[in-house]
């Protein structure tokens, strides 16, 4: 076990049974011209966490740990995208529409690819998920069980939506989760802070949080 200085108290990391999960660091959310920007958001807060995740990813790969990447994505015919999701709000581009990086949130399109700095390599798990949480309608649970994983180190976007949804279900499934404070982000900084507070409240009711440096210090 490696002791990570974390909040609300230290996290005992077991590298042999831990996976690094990188949630939805895809062009549609992180780069200008994608779905995130079409909702009226500024993408700079999401771009700002890429270096921290890249450092952790390099260290995790060096120690031979399991890496899981997720992408929020839908089939080309949108059969796994309920109308209630596609038609909500008033974005300038809806899921499936053609934008500057191809069809928005559709598998195989340029915008649905993970940003270059964090791109998967051979042997890493890539989960295409039609919902917010990474467990919904995917084989993530089976993949983790096959590798004997009991702990998740979670990064990605956005903190209050896909990250928190994944953490809450992981907690219900019995995983101990550590979320990286500078490896997650929201289009709304106040939402990021609130989500971290909710995750770590009441004695790590959902999980622990730490900085990338605090994690790297023990890897």
């Amino acid at each position: 076990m490696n002791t990570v200085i974390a909040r609300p108290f230290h996290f005992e990391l077991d590298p042999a049974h831990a996976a690094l999960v990188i949630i939805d660091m895809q062009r549609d959310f992180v780069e200008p011209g994608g779905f995130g920007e079409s909702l009226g958001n500024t993408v700079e807060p999401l771009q700002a966490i890429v270096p921290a995740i890249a450092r952790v990813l390099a260290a995790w790969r060096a120690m031979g740990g399991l890496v899981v990447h997720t992408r929020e994505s839908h089939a080309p015919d949108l059969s796994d995208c309920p109308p209630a999701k596609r038609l909500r709000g008033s974005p300038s581009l809806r899921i499936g529409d053609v934008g500057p990086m191809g069809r928005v949130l559709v598998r195989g399109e340029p915008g649905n690819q993970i940003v270059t700095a964090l791109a998967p390599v051979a042997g890493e798990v890539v989960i295409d998920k039609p919902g917010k949480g990474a467990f919904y309608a995917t084989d993530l649970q089976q993949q983790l069980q096959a590798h004997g994983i009991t702990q998740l180190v979670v990064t990605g976007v956005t903190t209050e939506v896909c990250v928190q949804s994944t953490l809450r279900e992981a907690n219900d499934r019995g995983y101990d989760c550590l979320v990286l404070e500078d490896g997650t982000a929201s289009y709304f900084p106040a939402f990021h802070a609130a989500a971290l507070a909710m995750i770590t409240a009441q004695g790590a009711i959902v999980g622990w949080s730490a900085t990338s440096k605090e994690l790297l210090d023990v890897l």
Side-chain angles (χ1 to χ4, degrees):
M1 292 285 189
N2 295 340
T3 301
V4 180
I5 296 173
R7 284 149 291 285
F9 50 88
H10 293 174
F11 182 82
E12 297 301 327
L13 178 69
D14 180 5
H17 297 98
L20 175 65
V21 181
I22 304 175
I23 295 178
D24 297 2
M25 291 300 290
Q26 59 207 70
R27 298 181 65 204
D28 269 327
F29 293 140
V30 178
E31 295 184 4
F35 186 56
E37 191 175 70
S38 80
L39 294 167
N41 301 308
T42 300
V43 297
E44 282 78 3
L46 277 59
Q47 293 176 332
I49 66 172
V50 171
I53 299 176
R55 289 190 292 271
V56 171
L57 177 58
W60 205 266
R61 285 170 172 166
M63 74 173 192
L66 179 68
V67 178
V68 177
H69 304 263
T70 78
R71 297 180 292 211
E72 186 172 346
S73 62
H74 295 281
D77 64 359
L78 303 185
S79 58
D80 56 0
C81 181
K85 178 179 182 180
R86 185 172 188 271
L87 300 177
R88 188 168 303 161
S90 56
S92 60
L93 291 171
R94 294 192 182 277
I95 295 170
D97 289 350
V98 178
M101 294 183 287
R103 295 182 67 203
V104 172
L105 294 189
V106 169
R107 290 179 202 129
E109 295 290 327
N112 199 231
Q113 304 311 305
I114 294 166
V115 296
T116 301
L118 305 175
V121 299
E124 295 179 347
V125 176
V126 180
I127 299 289
D128 283 301
K129 60 183 187 65
K132 306 304 184 189
F135 291 94
Y136 171 70
T138 75
D139 66 349
L140 177 58
Q141 174 77 347
Q142 291 81 1
Q143 295 266 15
L144 296 175
Q145 288 180 328
H147 288 87
I149 299 300
T150 60
Q151 297 181 334
L152 305 180
V153 175
V154 180
T155 66
V157 298
T158 60
T159 319
E160 77 279 10
V161 183
C162 295
V163 170
Q164 185 169 205
S165 295
T166 298
L167 284 164
R168 289 183 179 277
E169 184 160 359
N171 180 68
D172 285 345
R173 290 172 181 261
Y175 296 96
D176 285 329
C177 299
L178 175 70
V179 60
L180 295 190
E181 296 161 7
D182 58 338
T184 51
S186 170
Y187 300 114
F188 309 97
F191 290 2
H192 172 72
L196 291 175
M198 286 187 282
I199 290 162
T200 59
Q202 302 178 79
I205 192 169
V206 175
W208 290 254
S209 73
T211 65
S212 59
K213 182 181 184 304
E214 287 166 335
L215 175 64
L216 288 169
D217 281 347
V218 306
L219 292 183

